[in-house]
Every structure is written in C-alpha cells, then in structure tokens.
Amino acid sequence: MIKRRKQRLAPGLVVAIVAAMVIALPVAAANQVTQILAAGTRSASVANLTLGSMTTSHSDQTNAGTMTLTADDSTGSNLGWNVTILSSAFVYSGANGGTDVPAANFSLTSAAAPSRTAGQAISGVGGPKVPAISPVGTLDSARKTLQALLTFGNGTYTQDLGVSLTIPADSAAGTYTGTLTTTISAAP
Amino acid sequence: MLSRLARASLLLSLASIWVPLSVEAASEPARLGLTPVGEHGPYFDLTMAAGKAKELSVEVANFGGAEVLARTYAADAYSIVNGGFGAALFGNQPSGTARWLDYRTQELRLKPGGALTVDFEIRVPEGTPPGQYLASLVAENVEAVQGGGGSVAINQVNRVAIAVAIEIPGPRHAAVEIGAVSYKVAAGVSFVSFAVANPGNIHLKPAGEFILRDSARTEIVHTSVAMDSVYAGTDTRLEVPLSPPLGPGVYCAELRLTDAATNTGDSSSCLSFTVTAASQIVGPGGESPHPAPFVQAAIDAAAGQPTTLLVVIVILLLFAALMLVVQRRRRQRQEIPLRAQTGRPG
C-alpha cells in the first residue's frame, strides 16, 4: 500500500517540480527580453510582360511591350544594391524550320523612375534610381536599370520598363522563346 | 482499418493533388538569398597576400513561398556597359580571378525557408601582382519561370549575385583608356559607343564629357557622362543613347573621362564614323543549331504549358486502374466465403 502511494506520488512530484521551474525561470529572467531579427534577402523579378502576337511578314517587324520590374531589399543591411537584366536569343520552336532571333534584337527602350511599394522612401540622391547614363539599349548585354546607393533602397520598389523585339523579315511561323535573366547584386 | 490497396489509393489521390501544385510552383519568381557567413557586409571583401589561402562560407537560402531547385556557382565578374558589376552566366567557363575559388557548382532543392551553408576555399596564386581583383558567387533558379503563351514567350531566371573582392597589398597604378567609337541603331534609338578599358590595378569610376559633332564639326550634342565601376583589368563600353537616330552622314565624337578618386583620365580626339541609310542593329543572326525532335517536343510542350494537364491525366488514369484492381479483389474475397458455404468451386 505504502509502495503504491509512493509510486503515485513520484510522478506527481516530478510534474510539480517541472511546473515550478517553468513558472520560476521566466520570473528570474524578467529584466531582459531579446529578439533576434534574422536578415532577409534581396530579390528582383519582372512581371506583366506584354508583347503582342505577330504575323509573318516580308518586312522586319518591331513589337513593343512593357514589363514591370520589382526589386526588394529585405536584408536590413542598408548597403545598397544593383539590378541588371539580360536576354538570351529567342529560340524558335515550330514545324516551319525557323531561325532563332538573336538577343540583340530585344531592346530596352525606356526605364522609368521607380515607385515605392513598401519600406524606405526613394531619395533623389541615393535611390533607388535609374543610373546616370540611360540604360536603354540592346539586351544582349546586361543593362543596369535600377540602383540604390549605400544606406538606401531598404524596401520594395517597382519600375516600368519599355522593351521592343524586332522580328526579322520572313521569319517562320511558330513560337520564339527567350530567357530573361534578372540579377540583383552586391559589389564594390 | 484500411486495406493496403485502399491506403495506396488514398495516397495516390493525394499525390494527384500534390504533383500539379509542384509543377505550378515554377510560375513564382525565385527569391534566393546568398549571404557571406562570418563576414561583415553583403559581399566578401578580403585582403590577402599572393600565395595565401582562406576558408570561407556562404549561405544559400530560399526566401520564397515555394520549393526551389536552386543552382549556385562561382562566376567571372566583369564591367557591364556604362560600368557596374556583372556576373557571368552559368555555363561560361570561369577564368581569371574566379578560378581562385574552389567553389563547387551544385544544385540544391530548397524548401521555403530552407538554407544550406556552402564551404569553399580561396587561394591566391603565387606571384600574383598587387592590386584589386574581383570574382562572383551566384544563386539562381534552375527551372526557368515560364512566361506566357503566344508567338513570343519569355521565361525568367532570377539570380542573386555577390562579389568576392580581393585586395593584394602593394603599389597601385590607375589607368583608363578610351578606345574606338562605333554607332548602332536599335528600336528607334541610336547609340554612339566608345570602348573604355581599365588596364590599371584599381577599380575606377570615370566621369566626364561626351561631344558629338556633324561633318562641319558643329557641336550637336554635349553632355556629361558618369560611369559606374570599371573594374581593374577589364574593358567595357560607354553607350550614349541619342533619340531620334542620326540621319545619314559623317559625324565625329569625342570623349573625356577622369576618375575623381585617383585623378586619372583619358581623352579622345574627335573620332569619325559614318551613318548610312542602312545603319541598323545587326545581331549575330545566321543559323542556330536546332534541337533533336524529342527535345523539340519537350520545348513545344513547355512553350504551350500542357505539362501540368498531362501529369493530371496520367495520375487520374493510374487512379482509375487502381480502383479497378481494388474492386476486383473485393469481388474475389466475396466469392471465397460463398464457395466455403456451398462447398462447390466458383
């Protein structure tokens, strides 16, 4: 009988001790609260690319479109960043024996001033901003469309970009698929 | 309690929901992070002597909402048009400073919030001259985010790149050289382009003036220009856009550049170029290799995005076949007790 009572009491005693520790420890540490904020990342992507369909023609055709770049710096580092875009050739797929369209036929035609979606306000000096020399040009070379200097760009920003694709005369009917590489970077 | 077959069919029906979602996840741009471990700053900024080595670590993380197959690699760094940092694309064989990095190219499947630390070594070759050197580390999505359908489709690769900057102590010499001028037209905008090189051993940020003159040497454009970083040992171009494009004729352009920090500069004379009526951007053009037929089919499928539908159909067919098997087994089990009762074979 006594042995059973001891057996019943032992687990209860352990629970009581643990409960007491759980209550006591926070009280002992009540003077200090620590919150660690882990760093996020920088990211850049484009969306809403509009390039209309085209029909075959005996003349070169230029297809103008727009896309929206979104750049985000959630690192909390306030160390600035740069965004570049670069295109590959447009690879032909279809049944008509077409030829790839070179990347040099895809151009950046305009880069608007960015808009803030969240976070730090835009500075005319520190950015984010369009580089001093306009980035318009052919996208067979990487083009920097947006940059934030040291202590700026700690937020989310969008930028409207104008693009244009020139389809050579007598191009075959089919699908032309390119790959756009957006890069956000940190460098000296 | 569920039979084995019933459990399998339940799992398969759950898989039919899961698999299409995984395929569809490739439509969300990747949000990858690349962070030096144990270093201050967003990129590696090292001072090392020739012949020395150092162990480093970088964290590759997925900050997006979907699982990502990420690729990380070391790449050459270069000066992009008008200056600034560029990291070479995957597939380019590293040369120069990038070869100092013993950084294994690898593909990592990262769940949302997942991260992996990659250890690597940098070793500066013996006898490397003093100066500033640059390489890069890159993380990107392996599976390009699919663009829309139509006759023109654009897929997307999202990269994050950080520099690995190495400073080897010793004498410094700054230099900038202006090279040849050229002219091209693209999408209704024309560009006068100068070759700009940094043969010195320190990074520069040249700025100055661009002047365009017509055949009578009359100034028609005079503007200030400010380049971003032109890294030591690299060359690039300064492209000045002009709208509308220049009419046919003979022109000349001059460029003056100075790096304010080092007071180093160069200037060109008025270099001539001719604009003809046919002055248009000319890409590499020509034939490109076409993929094999079965690869072509894969490209067509990807372009038209029927992959998801195909997977769902296959899953449903398998599910239907499994249910037929389950029902047949049930019938067989019912027939066995009947035979036991009657004592006659079925």
Side-chain angles (χ1 to χ4, degrees):
Chain A
M1 189 72 155
I2 294 172
K3 194 177 176 183
R4 267 192 220 153
R5 229 183 246 167
K6 278 185 183 171
Q7 285 172 344
R8 276 184 206 161
L9 281 174
L13 192 59
V14 169
V15 170
I17 291 170
V18 169
M21 287 171 65
V22 167
I23 294 166
L25 280 173
V27 171
N31 294 332
Q32 183 175 329
V33 176
T34 302
Q35 173 68 63
I36 297 172
L37 193 63
T41 189
R42 297 175 189 85
S43 64
S45 60
V46 296
N48 304 325
L49 174 63
T50 57
L51 271 176
S53 289
M54 305 174 78
T55 53
T56 59
S57 170
H58 298 304
S59 305
D60 288 353
Q61 297 181 83
T62 298
N63 191 2
T66 58
M67 59 188 182
T68 302
L69 171 76
T70 299
D72 173 79
D73 183 357
S74 296
T75 60
S77 65
N78 294 321
L79 293 171
W81 41 266
N82 299 284
V83 174
T84 61
I85 58 172
L86 170 69
S87 178
S88 72
F90 285 73
V91 175
Y92 173 80
S93 59
N96 301 309
T99 303
D100 299 344
V101 173
N105 282 29
F106 192 43
S107 297
L108 181 70
T109 57
S110 66
S115 301
R116 182 185 75 95
T117 303
Q120 188 180 12
I122 295 173
S123 159
V125 174
K129 59 182 181 177
V130 180
I133 304 177
S134 174
V136 298
T138 55
L139 287 170
D140 58 338
S141 297
R143 303 277 170 182
K144 179 162 60 176
T145 68
L146 201 58
Q147 66 180 107
L149 303 184
L150 200 63
T151 74
F152 296 96
N154 188 20
T156 306
Y157 310 88
T158 59
Q159 179 186 38
D160 291 333
L161 301 173
V163 293
S164 174
L165 178 65
T166 300
I167 301 290
D170 300 317
S171 290
T175 300
Y176 294 83
T177 304
T179 298
L180 198 67
T181 299
T182 60
T183 305
I184 189 164
S185 61
Chain B
M1 191 154 170
L2 289 177
S3 67
R4 280 186 203 169
L5 282 171
R7 282 200 294 271
S9 66
L10 179 63
L11 285 171
L12 195 58
S13 60
L14 288 173
S16 71
I17 300 168
W18 174 79
V19 170
L21 282 176
S22 295
V23 173
E24 289 298 339
S27 63
E28 177 183 319
R31 295 192 71 231
L32 296 170
L34 198 58
T35 309
V37 176
E39 302 281 328
H40 299 292
Y43 58 88
F44 291 98
D45 195 1
L46 311 168
T47 300
M48 298 176 67
K52 296 298 182 188
K54 190 169 185 179
E55 303 290 329
L56 299 169
S57 298
V58 68
E59 182 184 85
V60 184
N62 177 10
F63 289 88
E67 185 176 281
V68 168
L69 179 60
R71 174 192 293 126
T72 184
Y73 55 96
D76 289 332
Y78 65 97
S79 303
I80 63 173
V81 172
N82 295 334
F85 178 79
L89 295 178
F90 176 71
N92 285 285
Q93 190 66 24
S95 61
T97 306
R99 297 178 66 180
W100 300 359
L101 309 179
D102 181 16
Y103 189 92
R104 192 167 66 94
T105 297
Q106 51 186 310
E107 294 184 0
L108 321 161
R109 191 166 286 280
L110 296 172
K111 295 190 186 314
L116 186 76
T117 298
V118 179
D119 300 320
F120 66 102
E121 181 188 82
I122 179 168
R123 181 176 293 275
V124 180
E126 290 279 1
T128 303
Q132 296 179 327
Y133 297 83
L134 201 67
S136 70
L137 299 178
V138 180
E140 64 187 32
N141 47 309
V142 173
E143 299 154 345
V145 177
Q146 300 284 313
S151 56
V152 176
I154 296 183
N155 299 334
Q156 192 176 171
V157 171
N158 306 111
R159 305 198 306 170
V160 57
I162 61 173
V164 181
I166 307 104
E167 179 124 4
I168 300 179
R172 296 283 185 263
H173 67 272
V176 61
E177 291 179 357
I178 297 171
V181 70
S182 61
Y183 174 81
K184 66 179 182 182
V185 178
V189 182
S190 64
F191 304 86
V192 176
S193 176
F194 274 95
V196 176
N198 178 353
N201 68 353
I202 57 175
H203 309 320
L204 304 174
K205 286 193 177 183
E209 290 180 302
F210 167 82
I211 302 169
L212 179 67
R213 303 177 190 276
D214 63 15
S215 56
R217 298 285 168 153
T218 302
E219 199 174 279
I220 51 178
V221 174
H222 189 156
T223 186
S224 59
V225 291
M227 299 184 74
D228 203 336
S229 298
V230 180
Y231 297 107
T234 69
D235 50 69
T236 183
R237 302 192 311 275
L238 170 71
E239 286 188 357
V240 180
L242 304 168
S243 185
L246 298 176
V250 177
Y251 301 83
C252 74
E254 57 185 282
L255 181 65
R256 300 168 198 152
L257 292 174
T258 304
D259 174 65
T262 59
N263 204 29
T264 301
D266 193 17
S267 60
S268 72
S269 56
C270 207
L271 302 178
S272 294
F273 61 93
T274 302
V275 176
T276 65
S279 288
Q280 291 291 329
I281 178 65
V282 177
E287 290 290 322
S288 294
H290 293 288
F294 67 92
V295 176
Q296 183 70 64
I299 293 172
D300 289 337
Q305 296 189 357
T307 308
T308 304
L309 183 60
L310 195 61
V311 168
V312 170
I313 290 171
V314 167
I315 294 293
L316 289 174
L317 285 173
L318 285 173
F319 181 66
L322 191 65
M323 291 311 297
L324 280 172
V325 170
V326 167
Q327 282 181 359
R328 194 176 170 189
R329 289 286 299 266
R330 272 196 199 143
R331 261 188 254 122
Q332 285 173 347
R333 279 202 203 109
Q334 285 165 1
E335 284 172 10
I336 291 171
L338 182 64
R339 287 199 299 272
Q341 283 177 13
T342 61
R344 290 184 299 202

